[in-house]
PDB file of all heavy atoms in Angstrom:
ATOM      1  N   PHE A 214      31.392 137.667 135.960  1.00  0.00           N
ATOM      2  CA  PHE A 214      32.302 138.211 136.958  1.00  0.00           C
ATOM      3  C   PHE A 214      32.649 137.109 137.956  1.00  0.00           C
ATOM      4  O   PHE A 214      31.742 136.486 138.509  1.00  0.00           O
ATOM      5  CB  PHE A 214      31.702 139.415 137.691  1.00  0.00           C
ATOM      6  CG  PHE A 214      32.731 140.180 138.468  1.00  0.00           C
ATOM      7  CD1 PHE A 214      33.537 141.106 137.831  1.00  0.00           C
ATOM      8  CD2 PHE A 214      32.917 139.935 139.822  1.00  0.00           C
ATOM      9  CE1 PHE A 214      34.512 141.799 138.543  1.00  0.00           C
ATOM     10  CE2 PHE A 214      33.897 140.617 140.537  1.00  0.00           C
ATOM     11  CZ  PHE A 214      34.696 141.557 139.890  1.00  0.00           C
ATOM     12  N   PRO A 215      33.961 136.857 138.162  1.00  0.00           N
ATOM     13  CA  PRO A 215      34.373 135.752 139.025  1.00  0.00           C
ATOM     14  C   PRO A 215      33.704 135.816 140.394  1.00  0.00           C
ATOM     15  O   PRO A 215      33.686 136.872 141.032  1.00  0.00           O
ATOM     16  CB  PRO A 215      35.888 135.938 139.143  1.00  0.00           C
ATOM     17  CG  PRO A 215      36.276 136.689 137.912  1.00  0.00           C
ATOM     18  CD  PRO A 215      35.106 137.579 137.588  1.00  0.00           C
ATOM     19  N   GLY A 216      33.139 134.686 140.822  1.00  0.00           N
ATOM     20  CA  GLY A 216      32.540 134.603 142.148  1.00  0.00           C
ATOM     21  C   GLY A 216      31.114 135.118 142.220  1.00  0.00           C
ATOM     22  O   GLY A 216      30.391 134.817 143.159  1.00  0.00           O
ATOM     23  N   ARG A 217      30.681 135.910 141.227  1.00  0.00           N
ATOM     24  CA  ARG A 217      29.322 136.450 141.268  1.00  0.00           C
ATOM     25  C   ARG A 217      28.451 135.896 140.138  1.00  0.00           C
ATOM     26  O   ARG A 217      27.343 135.425 140.383  1.00  0.00           O
ATOM     27  CB  ARG A 217      29.363 137.985 141.216  1.00  0.00           C
ATOM     28  CG  ARG A 217      28.000 138.598 141.332  1.00  0.00           C
ATOM     29  CD  ARG A 217      27.987 140.061 141.804  1.00  0.00           C
ATOM     30  NE  ARG A 217      29.273 140.720 141.782  1.00  0.00           N
ATOM     31  CZ  ARG A 217      29.625 141.649 140.875  1.00  0.00           C
ATOM     32  NH1 ARG A 217      28.798 141.998 139.936  1.00  0.00           N
ATOM     33  NH2 ARG A 217      30.808 142.219 140.947  1.00  0.00           N
ATOM     34  N   THR A 218      28.949 135.963 138.906  1.00  0.00           N
ATOM     35  CA  THR A 218      28.138 135.453 137.789  1.00  0.00           C
ATOM     36  C   THR A 218      28.925 134.533 136.854  1.00  0.00           C
ATOM     37  O   THR A 218      28.390 134.071 135.873  1.00  0.00           O
ATOM     38  CB  THR A 218      27.562 136.617 136.949  1.00  0.00           C
ATOM     39  OG1 THR A 218      28.627 137.435 136.470  1.00  0.00           O
ATOM     40  CG2 THR A 218      26.593 137.465 137.748  1.00  0.00           C
ATOM     41  N   GLN A 219      30.207 134.269 137.156  1.00  0.00           N
ATOM     42  CA  GLN A 219      31.004 133.419 136.271  1.00  0.00           C
ATOM     43  C   GLN A 219      30.878 131.953 136.679  1.00  0.00           C
ATOM     44  O   GLN A 219      31.620 131.451 137.516  1.00  0.00           O
ATOM     45  CB  GLN A 219      32.472 133.850 136.291  1.00  0.00           C
ATOM     46  CG  GLN A 219      33.291 133.233 135.168  1.00  0.00           C
ATOM     47  CD  GLN A 219      34.710 133.756 135.160  1.00  0.00           C
ATOM     48  OE1 GLN A 219      35.534 133.349 135.971  1.00  0.00           O
ATOM     49  NE2 GLN A 219      34.993 134.680 134.263  1.00  0.00           N
ATOM     50  N   THR A 220      29.887 131.266 136.067  1.00  0.00           N
ATOM     51  CA  THR A 220      29.672 129.850 136.346  1.00  0.00           C
ATOM     52  C   THR A 220      30.737 129.017 135.628  1.00  0.00           C
ATOM     53  O   THR A 220      31.551 129.554 134.875  1.00  0.00           O
ATOM     54  CB  THR A 220      28.276 129.413 135.877  1.00  0.00           C
ATOM     55  OG1 THR A 220      28.164 129.741 134.484  1.00  0.00           O
ATOM     56  CG2 THR A 220      27.183 130.108 136.652  1.00  0.00           C
ATOM     57  N   ALA A 221      30.703 127.696 135.836  1.00  0.00           N
ATOM     58  CA  ALA A 221      31.741 126.829 135.270  1.00  0.00           C
ATOM     59  C   ALA A 221      31.883 126.958 133.744  1.00  0.00           C
ATOM     60  O   ALA A 221      33.002 127.110 133.250  1.00  0.00           O
ATOM     61  CB  ALA A 221      31.492 125.375 135.676  1.00  0.00           C
ATOM     62  N   PRO A 222      30.779 126.935 132.963  1.00  0.00           N
ATOM     63  CA  PRO A 222      30.968 127.079 131.503  1.00  0.00           C
ATOM     64  C   PRO A 222      31.582 128.443 131.139  1.00  0.00           C
ATOM     65  O   PRO A 222      32.423 128.517 130.237  1.00  0.00           O
ATOM     66  CB  PRO A 222      29.549 126.959 130.941  1.00  0.00           C
ATOM     67  CG  PRO A 222      28.760 126.281 132.004  1.00  0.00           C
ATOM     68  CD  PRO A 222      29.379 126.674 133.301  1.00  0.00           C
ATOM     69  N   LEU A 223      31.184 129.502 131.826  1.00  0.00           N
ATOM     70  CA  LEU A 223      31.750 130.834 131.566  1.00  0.00           C
ATOM     71  C   LEU A 223      33.221 130.874 131.984  1.00  0.00           C
ATOM     72  O   LEU A 223      34.039 131.552 131.360  1.00  0.00           O
ATOM     73  CB  LEU A 223      30.965 131.922 132.312  1.00  0.00           C
ATOM     74  CG  LEU A 223      29.750 132.513 131.577  1.00  0.00           C
ATOM     75  CD1 LEU A 223      28.678 131.476 131.332  1.00  0.00           C
ATOM     76  CD2 LEU A 223      29.181 133.692 132.340  1.00  0.00           C
ATOM     77  N   GLY A 224      33.547 130.127 133.033  1.00  0.00           N
ATOM     78  CA  GLY A 224      34.928 130.039 133.486  1.00  0.00           C
ATOM     79  C   GLY A 224      35.808 129.370 132.438  1.00  0.00           C
ATOM     80  O   GLY A 224      36.928 129.814 132.178  1.00  0.00           O
ATOM     81  N   VAL A 225      35.293 128.297 131.827  1.00  0.00           N
ATOM     82  CA  VAL A 225      36.025 127.620 130.748  1.00  0.00           C
ATOM     83  C   VAL A 225      36.292 128.611 129.620  1.00  0.00           C
ATOM     84  O   VAL A 225      37.412 128.732 129.115  1.00  0.00           O
ATOM     85  CB  VAL A 225      35.215 126.416 130.198  1.00  0.00           C
ATOM     86  CG1 VAL A 225      35.860 125.856 128.933  1.00  0.00           C
ATOM     87  CG2 VAL A 225      35.098 125.326 131.243  1.00  0.00           C
ATOM     88  N   TYR A 226      35.272 129.361 129.255  1.00  0.00           N
ATOM     89  CA  TYR A 226      35.349 130.302 128.142  1.00  0.00           C
ATOM     90  C   TYR A 226      36.364 131.409 128.413  1.00  0.00           C
ATOM     91  O   TYR A 226      37.160 131.772 127.547  1.00  0.00           O
ATOM     92  CB  TYR A 226      33.963 130.890 127.907  1.00  0.00           C
ATOM     93  CG  TYR A 226      33.796 131.672 126.634  1.00  0.00           C
ATOM     94  CD1 TYR A 226      33.898 131.048 125.397  1.00  0.00           C
ATOM     95  CD2 TYR A 226      33.491 133.027 126.660  1.00  0.00           C
ATOM     96  CE1 TYR A 226      33.723 131.765 124.230  1.00  0.00           C
ATOM     97  CE2 TYR A 226      33.302 133.750 125.502  1.00  0.00           C
ATOM     98  CZ  TYR A 226      33.420 133.113 124.288  1.00  0.00           C
ATOM     99  OH  TYR A 226      33.238 133.823 123.135  1.00  0.00           O
ATOM    100  N   ALA A 227      36.372 131.928 129.634  1.00  0.00           N
ATOM    101  CA  ALA A 227      37.302 133.002 129.995  1.00  0.00           C
ATOM    102  C   ALA A 227      38.731 132.470 130.067  1.00  0.00           C
ATOM    103  O   ALA A 227      39.669 133.096 129.571  1.00  0.00           O
ATOM    104  CB  ALA A 227      36.894 133.633 131.322  1.00  0.00           C
ATOM    105  N   ALA A 228      38.900 131.283 130.648  1.00  0.00           N
ATOM    106  CA  ALA A 228      40.238 130.732 130.847  1.00  0.00           C
ATOM    107  C   ALA A 228      40.889 130.313 129.532  1.00  0.00           C
ATOM    108  O   ALA A 228      42.114 130.326 129.411  1.00  0.00           O
ATOM    109  CB  ALA A 228      40.177 129.544 131.803  1.00  0.00           C
ATOM    110  N   LEU A 229      40.075 129.958 128.526  1.00  0.00           N
ATOM    111  CA  LEU A 229      40.614 129.536 127.228  1.00  0.00           C
ATOM    112  C   LEU A 229      41.542 130.592 126.636  1.00  0.00           C
ATOM    113  O   LEU A 229      42.489 130.266 125.917  1.00  0.00           O
ATOM    114  CB  LEU A 229      39.475 129.264 126.236  1.00  0.00           C
ATOM    115  CG  LEU A 229      38.990 127.824 126.115  1.00  0.00           C
ATOM    116  CD1 LEU A 229      37.858 127.731 125.119  1.00  0.00           C
ATOM    117  CD2 LEU A 229      40.127 126.897 125.711  1.00  0.00           C
ATOM    118  N   GLU A 230      41.274 131.883 126.917  1.00  0.00           N
ATOM    119  CA  GLU A 230      42.055 132.972 126.343  1.00  0.00           C
ATOM    120  C   GLU A 230      43.490 132.973 126.851  1.00  0.00           C
ATOM    121  O   GLU A 230      44.399 133.384 126.147  1.00  0.00           O
ATOM    122  CB  GLU A 230      41.416 134.325 126.683  1.00  0.00           C
ATOM    123  CG  GLU A 230      40.097 134.569 125.997  1.00  0.00           C
ATOM    124  CD  GLU A 230      40.268 134.999 124.540  1.00  0.00           C
ATOM    125  OE1 GLU A 230      41.393 135.314 124.131  1.00  0.00           O
ATOM    126  OE2 GLU A 230      39.258 135.016 123.823  1.00  0.00           O
ATOM    127  N   GLN A 231      43.699 132.574 128.109  1.00  0.00           N
ATOM    128  CA  GLN A 231      45.020 132.763 128.703  1.00  0.00           C
ATOM    129  C   GLN A 231      45.576 131.526 129.382  1.00  0.00           C
ATOM    130  O   GLN A 231      46.772 131.319 129.407  1.00  0.00           O
ATOM    131  CB  GLN A 231      44.955 133.910 129.727  1.00  0.00           C
ATOM    132  CG  GLN A 231      46.153 134.812 129.664  1.00  0.00           C
ATOM    133  CD  GLN A 231      46.017 135.946 130.635  1.00  0.00           C
ATOM    134  OE1 GLN A 231      45.325 135.837 131.644  1.00  0.00           O
ATOM    135  NE2 GLN A 231      46.666 137.058 130.348  1.00  0.00           N
ATOM    136  N   ASP A 232      44.681 130.707 129.938  1.00  0.00           N
ATOM    137  CA  ASP A 232      45.127 129.529 130.682  1.00  0.00           C
ATOM    138  C   ASP A 232      44.380 128.300 130.154  1.00  0.00           C
ATOM    139  O   ASP A 232      43.517 127.745 130.826  1.00  0.00           O
ATOM    140  CB  ASP A 232      44.849 129.739 132.189  1.00  0.00           C
ATOM    141  CG  ASP A 232      45.533 128.682 133.037  1.00  0.00           C
ATOM    142  OD1 ASP A 232      46.148 127.767 132.465  1.00  0.00           O
ATOM    143  OD2 ASP A 232      45.431 128.766 134.279  1.00  0.00           O
ATOM    144  N   PRO A 233      44.710 127.869 128.919  1.00  0.00           N
ATOM    145  CA  PRO A 233      43.964 126.766 128.312  1.00  0.00           C
ATOM    146  C   PRO A 233      44.004 125.491 129.160  1.00  0.00           C
ATOM    147  O   PRO A 233      43.050 124.717 129.152  1.00  0.00           O
ATOM    148  CB  PRO A 233      44.652 126.543 126.964  1.00  0.00           C
ATOM    149  CG  PRO A 233      45.734 127.529 126.850  1.00  0.00           C
ATOM    150  CD  PRO A 233      45.756 128.401 128.042  1.00  0.00           C
ATOM    151  N   GLU A 234      45.102 125.293 129.907  1.00  0.00           N
ATOM    152  CA  GLU A 234      45.201 124.082 130.736  1.00  0.00           C
ATOM    153  C   GLU A 234      44.165 124.091 131.855  1.00  0.00           C
ATOM    154  O   GLU A 234      43.564 123.071 132.176  1.00  0.00           O
ATOM    155  CB  GLU A 234      46.616 123.943 131.327  1.00  0.00           C
ATOM    156  CG  GLU A 234      47.697 123.642 130.297  1.00  0.00           C
ATOM    157  CD  GLU A 234      47.478 122.316 129.560  1.00  0.00           C
ATOM    158  OE1 GLU A 234      46.672 121.496 130.031  1.00  0.00           O
ATOM    159  OE2 GLU A 234      48.123 122.107 128.515  1.00  0.00           O
ATOM    160  N   ALA A 235      43.927 125.266 132.451  1.00  0.00           N
ATOM    161  CA  ALA A 235      42.900 125.377 133.487  1.00  0.00           C
ATOM    162  C   ALA A 235      41.526 125.172 132.865  1.00  0.00           C
ATOM    163  O   ALA A 235      40.653 124.517 133.452  1.00  0.00           O
ATOM    164  CB  ALA A 235      42.972 126.734 134.173  1.00  0.00           C
ATOM    165  N   ALA A 236      41.341 125.710 131.645  1.00  0.00           N
ATOM    166  CA  ALA A 236      40.070 125.537 130.947  1.00  0.00           C
ATOM    167  C   ALA A 236      39.808 124.056 130.684  1.00  0.00           C
ATOM    168  O   ALA A 236      38.689 123.566 130.849  1.00  0.00           O
ATOM    169  CB  ALA A 236      40.084 126.315 129.637  1.00  0.00           C
ATOM    170  N   LEU A 237      40.868 123.343 130.296  1.00  0.00           N
ATOM    171  CA  LEU A 237      40.751 121.913 130.001  1.00  0.00           C
ATOM    172  C   LEU A 237      40.446 121.129 131.285  1.00  0.00           C
ATOM    173  O   LEU A 237      39.593 120.226 131.288  1.00  0.00           O
ATOM    174  CB  LEU A 237      42.060 121.432 129.371  1.00  0.00           C
ATOM    175  CG  LEU A 237      42.051 120.072 128.690  1.00  0.00           C
ATOM    176  CD1 LEU A 237      40.986 120.009 127.607  1.00  0.00           C
ATOM    177  CD2 LEU A 237      43.420 119.790 128.062  1.00  0.00           C
ATOM    178  N   ALA A 238      41.129 121.489 132.386  1.00  0.00           N
ATOM    179  CA  ALA A 238      40.895 120.805 133.661  1.00  0.00           C
ATOM    180  C   ALA A 238      39.443 120.985 134.103  1.00  0.00           C
ATOM    181  O   ALA A 238      38.779 120.039 134.535  1.00  0.00           O
ATOM    182  CB  ALA A 238      41.841 121.344 134.725  1.00  0.00           C
ATOM    183  N   LEU A 239      38.951 122.213 133.937  1.00  0.00           N
ATOM    184  CA  LEU A 239      37.569 122.510 134.311  1.00  0.00           C
ATOM    185  C   LEU A 239      36.597 121.756 133.395  1.00  0.00           C
ATOM    186  O   LEU A 239      35.565 121.249 133.843  1.00  0.00           O
ATOM    187  CB  LEU A 239      37.347 124.025 134.235  1.00  0.00           C
ATOM    188  CG  LEU A 239      36.051 124.627 134.741  1.00  0.00           C
ATOM    189  CD1 LEU A 239      35.707 124.137 136.134  1.00  0.00           C
ATOM    190  CD2 LEU A 239      36.161 126.148 134.742  1.00  0.00           C
ATOM    191  N   SER A 240      36.955 121.657 132.110  1.00  0.00           N
ATOM    192  CA  SER A 240      36.128 120.894 131.171  1.00  0.00           C
ATOM    193  C   SER A 240      36.040 119.436 131.583  1.00  0.00           C
ATOM    194  O   SER A 240      34.981 118.810 131.479  1.00  0.00           O
ATOM    195  CB  SER A 240      36.705 120.981 129.752  1.00  0.00           C
ATOM    196  OG  SER A 240      36.796 122.312 129.330  1.00  0.00           O
ATOM    197  N   LEU A 241      37.169 118.887 132.055  1.00  0.00           N
ATOM    198  CA  LEU A 241      37.187 117.489 132.495  1.00  0.00           C
ATOM    199  C   LEU A 241      36.248 117.279 133.677  1.00  0.00           C
ATOM    200  O   LEU A 241      35.542 116.272 133.748  1.00  0.00           O
ATOM    201  CB  LEU A 241      38.610 117.075 132.892  1.00  0.00           C
ATOM    202  CG  LEU A 241      39.565 116.769 131.745  1.00  0.00           C
ATOM    203  CD1 LEU A 241      40.947 116.455 132.294  1.00  0.00           C
ATOM    204  CD2 LEU A 241      39.057 115.595 130.926  1.00  0.00           C
ATOM    205  N   VAL A 242      36.251 118.219 134.618  1.00  0.00           N
ATOM    206  CA  VAL A 242      35.358 118.117 135.777  1.00  0.00           C
ATOM    207  C   VAL A 242      33.903 118.077 135.297  1.00  0.00           C
ATOM    208  O   VAL A 242      33.106 117.264 135.766  1.00  0.00           O
ATOM    209  CB  VAL A 242      35.572 119.293 136.754  1.00  0.00           C
ATOM    210  CG1 VAL A 242      34.550 119.245 137.879  1.00  0.00           C
ATOM    211  CG2 VAL A 242      36.981 119.264 137.319  1.00  0.00           C
ATOM    212  N   MET A 243      33.587 118.943 134.319  1.00  0.00           N
ATOM    213  CA  MET A 243      32.210 118.981 133.819  1.00  0.00           C
ATOM    214  C   MET A 243      31.861 117.713 133.050  1.00  0.00           C
ATOM    215  O   MET A 243      30.733 117.230 133.115  1.00  0.00           O
ATOM    216  CB  MET A 243      31.989 120.224 132.957  1.00  0.00           C
ATOM    217  CG  MET A 243      32.129 121.493 133.776  1.00  0.00           C
ATOM    218  SD  MET A 243      31.629 122.940 132.876  1.00  0.00           S
ATOM    219  CE  MET A 243      29.865 122.773 132.924  1.00  0.00           C
ATOM    220  N   LEU A 244      32.845 117.165 132.325  1.00  0.00           N
ATOM    221  CA  LEU A 244      32.632 115.900 131.614  1.00  0.00           C
ATOM    222  C   LEU A 244      32.332 114.792 132.624  1.00  0.00           C
ATOM    223  O   LEU A 244      31.397 113.999 132.442  1.00  0.00           O
ATOM    224  CB  LEU A 244      33.869 115.555 130.778  1.00  0.00           C
ATOM    225  CG  LEU A 244      33.837 114.231 130.010  1.00  0.00           C
ATOM    226  CD1 LEU A 244      32.749 114.243 128.949  1.00  0.00           C
ATOM    227  CD2 LEU A 244      35.184 113.951 129.351  1.00  0.00           C
ATOM    228  N   LEU A 245      33.101 114.765 133.710  1.00  0.00           N
ATOM    229  CA  LEU A 245      32.910 113.763 134.757  1.00  0.00           C
ATOM    230  C   LEU A 245      31.508 113.881 135.354  1.00  0.00           C
ATOM    231  O   LEU A 245      30.815 112.874 135.542  1.00  0.00           O
ATOM    232  CB  LEU A 245      33.974 113.954 135.848  1.00  0.00           C
ATOM    233  CG  LEU A 245      33.885 113.015 137.054  1.00  0.00           C
ATOM    234  CD1 LEU A 245      34.308 111.621 136.646  1.00  0.00           C
ATOM    235  CD2 LEU A 245      34.772 113.519 138.186  1.00  0.00           C
ATOM    236  N   LEU A 246      31.073 115.117 135.622  1.00  0.00           N
ATOM    237  CA  LEU A 246      29.737 115.340 136.180  1.00  0.00           C
ATOM    238  C   LEU A 246      28.658 114.845 135.215  1.00  0.00           C
ATOM    239  O   LEU A 246      27.683 114.215 135.630  1.00  0.00           O
ATOM    240  CB  LEU A 246      29.533 116.825 136.497  1.00  0.00           C
ATOM    241  CG  LEU A 246      30.323 117.364 137.685  1.00  0.00           C
ATOM    242  CD1 LEU A 246      30.246 118.885 137.754  1.00  0.00           C
ATOM    243  CD2 LEU A 246      29.809 116.767 138.993  1.00  0.00           C
ATOM    244  N   SER A 247      28.844 115.102 133.903  1.00  0.00           N
ATOM    245  CA  SER A 247      27.876 114.648 132.905  1.00  0.00           C
ATOM    246  C   SER A 247      27.774 113.133 132.907  1.00  0.00           C
ATOM    247  O   SER A 247      26.677 112.572 132.839  1.00  0.00           O
ATOM    248  CB  SER A 247      28.289 115.110 131.502  1.00  0.00           C
ATOM    249  OG  SER A 247      28.627 116.453 131.495  1.00  0.00           O
ATOM    250  N   VAL A 248      28.936 112.465 132.982  1.00  0.00           N
ATOM    251  CA  VAL A 248      28.955 111.003 132.986  1.00  0.00           C
ATOM    252  C   VAL A 248      28.255 110.472 134.236  1.00  0.00           C
ATOM    253  O   VAL A 248      27.507 109.498 134.177  1.00  0.00           O
ATOM    254  CB  VAL A 248      30.409 110.483 132.891  1.00  0.00           C
ATOM    255  CG1 VAL A 248      30.463 108.979 133.109  1.00  0.00           C
ATOM    256  CG2 VAL A 248      30.997 110.830 131.529  1.00  0.00           C
ATOM    257  N   LEU A 249      28.477 111.150 135.379  1.00  0.00           N
ATOM    258  CA  LEU A 249      27.822 110.736 136.620  1.00  0.00           C
ATOM    259  C   LEU A 249      26.302 110.841 136.504  1.00  0.00           C
ATOM    260  O   LEU A 249      25.574 109.948 136.941  1.00  0.00           O
ATOM    261  CB  LEU A 249      28.313 111.596 137.795  1.00  0.00           C
ATOM    262  CG  LEU A 249      29.688 111.241 138.358  1.00  0.00           C
ATOM    263  CD1 LEU A 249      30.090 112.230 139.434  1.00  0.00           C
ATOM    264  CD2 LEU A 249      29.668 109.820 138.922  1.00  0.00           C
ATOM    265  N   VAL A 250      25.828 111.940 135.902  1.00  0.00           N
ATOM    266  CA  VAL A 250      24.385 112.124 135.713  1.00  0.00           C
ATOM    267  C   VAL A 250      23.835 110.996 134.853  1.00  0.00           C
ATOM    268  O   VAL A 250      22.802 110.395 135.164  1.00  0.00           O
ATOM    269  CB  VAL A 250      24.084 113.495 135.063  1.00  0.00           C
ATOM    270  CG1 VAL A 250      22.638 113.558 134.578  1.00  0.00           C
ATOM    271  CG2 VAL A 250      24.351 114.601 136.059  1.00  0.00           C
ATOM    272  N   LEU A 251      24.550 110.682 133.759  1.00  0.00           N
ATOM    273  CA  LEU A 251      24.118 109.595 132.890  1.00  0.00           C
ATOM    274  C   LEU A 251      24.070 108.277 133.646  1.00  0.00           C
ATOM    275  O   LEU A 251      23.135 107.490 133.495  1.00  0.00           O
ATOM    276  CB  LEU A 251      25.073 109.461 131.699  1.00  0.00           C
ATOM    277  CG  LEU A 251      24.796 110.381 130.522  1.00  0.00           C
ATOM    278  CD1 LEU A 251      25.803 110.142 129.417  1.00  0.00           C
ATOM    279  CD2 LEU A 251      23.384 110.164 129.986  1.00  0.00           C
ATOM    280  N   GLY A 252      25.084 108.032 134.483  1.00  0.00           N
ATOM    281  CA  GLY A 252      25.127 106.812 135.276  1.00  0.00           C
ATOM    282  C   GLY A 252      23.916 106.711 136.188  1.00  0.00           C
ATOM    283  O   GLY A 252      23.276 105.647 136.278  1.00  0.00           O
ATOM    284  N   LEU A 253      23.575 107.833 136.831  1.00  0.00           N
ATOM    285  CA  LEU A 253      22.390 107.881 137.692  1.00  0.00           C
ATOM    286  C   LEU A 253      21.136 107.529 136.903  1.00  0.00           C
ATOM    287  O   LEU A 253      20.289 106.762 137.350  1.00  0.00           O
ATOM    288  CB  LEU A 253      22.228 109.281 138.279  1.00  0.00           C
ATOM    289  CG  LEU A 253      22.920 109.567 139.596  1.00  0.00           C
ATOM    290  CD1 LEU A 253      22.777 111.035 139.959  1.00  0.00           C
ATOM    291  CD2 LEU A 253      22.309 108.707 140.698  1.00  0.00           C
ATOM    292  N   LEU A 254      21.029 108.109 135.697  1.00  0.00           N
ATOM    293  CA  LEU A 254      19.854 107.876 134.867  1.00  0.00           C
ATOM    294  C   LEU A 254      19.761 106.407 134.472  1.00  0.00           C
ATOM    295  O   LEU A 254      18.692 105.813 134.515  1.00  0.00           O
ATOM    296  CB  LEU A 254      19.915 108.745 133.605  1.00  0.00           C
ATOM    297  CG  LEU A 254      19.535 110.207 133.783  1.00  0.00           C
ATOM    298  CD1 LEU A 254      19.779 110.980 132.504  1.00  0.00           C
ATOM    299  CD2 LEU A 254      18.072 110.332 134.191  1.00  0.00           C
ATOM    300  N   ARG A 255      20.906 105.827 134.097  1.00  0.00           N
ATOM    301  CA  ARG A 255      20.926 104.418 133.687  1.00  0.00           C
ATOM    302  C   ARG A 255      20.378 103.554 134.811  1.00  0.00           C
ATOM    303  O   ARG A 255      19.564 102.661 134.590  1.00  0.00           O
ATOM    304  CB  ARG A 255      22.348 103.953 133.370  1.00  0.00           C
ATOM    305  CG  ARG A 255      22.999 104.655 132.227  1.00  0.00           C
ATOM    306  CD  ARG A 255      22.849 104.026 130.909  1.00  0.00           C
ATOM    307  NE  ARG A 255      22.694 102.590 130.872  1.00  0.00           N
ATOM    308  CZ  ARG A 255      22.222 101.985 129.802  1.00  0.00           C
ATOM    309  NH1 ARG A 255      21.869 102.686 128.762  1.00  0.00           N
ATOM    310  NH2 ARG A 255      22.109 100.681 129.780  1.00  0.00           N
TER     311      ARG A 255
END
Side-chain angles (χ1 to χ4, degrees):
Chain A
F214 194 82
R217 183 158 13 106
T218 57
Q219 193 176 77
T220 56
L223 272 64
V225 171
Y226 191 65
L229 266 179
E230 291 281 348
Q231 221 177 26
D232 191 356
E234 292 299 345
L237 194 56
L239 188 50
S240 302
L241 282 177
V242 175
M243 296 189 75
L244 178 64
L245 178 72
L246 289 170
S247 312
V248 171
L249 282 176
V250 167
L251 276 180
L253 271 174
L254 282 174
R255 297 267 331 163

